[in-house]
Amino acid sequence: MSTNALPPAPLLVSPSDGATDVPLATELCWTPVEDPDGDPLRYRVFVNDAEVTEGELGEYYGYDGPCVGPLFFAHEGSYSWRVQAFEIEDPSRSSPM
């Protein structure tokens, strides 16, 4: 029986919240999640509220997970990041961030 539920929010793994002295070239990693209905998922990654993209990846956009990068950051900058899971078949069906 299908519940038609949205995917859960991925948990951020690395770098941890509040981390300092992070290398300028850093991977962003999260815990992959499973859709309650078993739908295939991909992930959107945001740094300072801007979506990180590499353009179109075949028929789908987003990332397979569980890491992106390394990404290159500016020295002495302050950054925030988040990840959102979304259903491949209907990208508007996404997890909270």
Side-chain angles (χ1 to χ4, degrees), residues 14-16 18-28 73-76:
S14 174
S16 61
T20 59
D21 296 323
V22 175
L24 297 181
T26 298
E27 280 191 320
L28 304 179
F73 296 95
H75 185 64
E76 295 185 14

Side-chain angles (χ1 to χ4, degrees), residues 33-49:
V33 295
E34 291 189 24
D35 186 76
D37 304 315
D39 295 317
L41 300 174
R42 288 181 67 89
Y43 300 89
R44 294 179 186 105
V45 178
F46 299 85
V47 173
N48 290 350
D49 295 323

